């Protein structure tokens, strides 16, 4: 299926909800959950990361080494390397770019999205 049109409607969201906006893709007037999920992931790639991965991304961005990150997260270095591989894979897939290492990927990601607390 091809997307023939995209309409973005700004509807005020109740103050108690976390999101500033909602994204829904409709197919013949009915919400298409599969396409909605796909579009959300493309517009909000940080939603694809676990909390642990986001913490690791922040620490990588701040310049910490894998050994230091392992100590901060109470993990082994091997576990941090595994997190790094998953982060690199997710960022590479999101942007369809091959990065040399996780530091380059995180730097690019941080430049595109202002979600990392410095």
């Amino acid at each position: 299926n091809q997307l023939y049109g995209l309409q973005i409607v700004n509807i005020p969201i109740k103050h108690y909800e976390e999101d500033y906006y909602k994204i829904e893709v409709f197919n013949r007037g009915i919400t298409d959950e599969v396409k909605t999920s796909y579009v959300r992931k493309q517009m909000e790639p940080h939603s694809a990361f676990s909390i642990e991965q986001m913490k690791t991304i922040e620490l990588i961005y701040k310049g910490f080494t894998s050994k230091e990150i392992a100590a901060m997260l109470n993990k082994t270095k091997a576990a941090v390397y595994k997190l790094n591989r998953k982060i690199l894979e997710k960022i590479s897939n999101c942007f369809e770019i091959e990065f040399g290492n996780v530091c380059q990927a995180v730097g690019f990601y941080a430049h595109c999205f202002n979600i990392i607390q410095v």
Side-chain angles (χ1 to χ4, degrees):
N1 291 335
Q2 292 184 0
L3 180 63
Y4 291 102
L6 178 63
Q7 180 179 13
I8 299 177
V9 180
N10 186 11
I11 301 171
I13 297 177
K14 297 174 182 97
H15 70 278
Y16 56 83
E17 292 189 27
E18 272 186 38
D19 297 334
Y20 294 109
Y21 56 90
K22 290 200 181 226
I23 299 168
E24 289 187 359
V25 176
F26 292 93
N27 187 3
R28 297 188 176 122
I30 300 170
T31 301
D32 186 324
E33 297 295 333
V34 173
K35 289 184 178 108
T36 296
S37 174
Y38 175 78
V39 170
R40 282 184 185 153
K41 285 180 183 173
Q42 296 304 308
M43 293 180 72
E44 302 172 342
H46 51 277
S47 65
F49 297 109
S50 69
I51 293 170
E52 186 175 54
Q53 289 170 340
M54 282 305 298
K55 287 179 185 175
T56 305
I57 287 171
E58 289 178 19
L59 294 171
I60 290 169
Y61 184 70
K62 291 178 181 178
F64 291 101
T65 65
S66 292
K67 183 178 179 179
E68 293 167 329
I69 293 170
M72 290 179 204
L73 297 180
N74 199 23
K75 301 259 180 214
T76 65
K77 241 170 94 171
V80 172
Y81 287 144
K82 186 175 181 178
L83 279 169
N84 288 352
R85 280 193 310 273
K86 291 299 286 180
I87 290 166
L88 177 60
E89 179 183 308
K90 286 182 179 183
I91 294 173
S92 294
N93 288 343
C94 174
F95 294 103
E96 297 180 357
I97 297 174
E98 290 289 326
F99 296 97
N101 58 53
V102 72
C103 294
Q104 289 177 350
V106 167
F108 183 85
Y109 177 73
H111 181 73
C112 291
F113 298 94
N114 191 18
I115 61 168
I116 296 177
Q117 303 299 318
V118 179

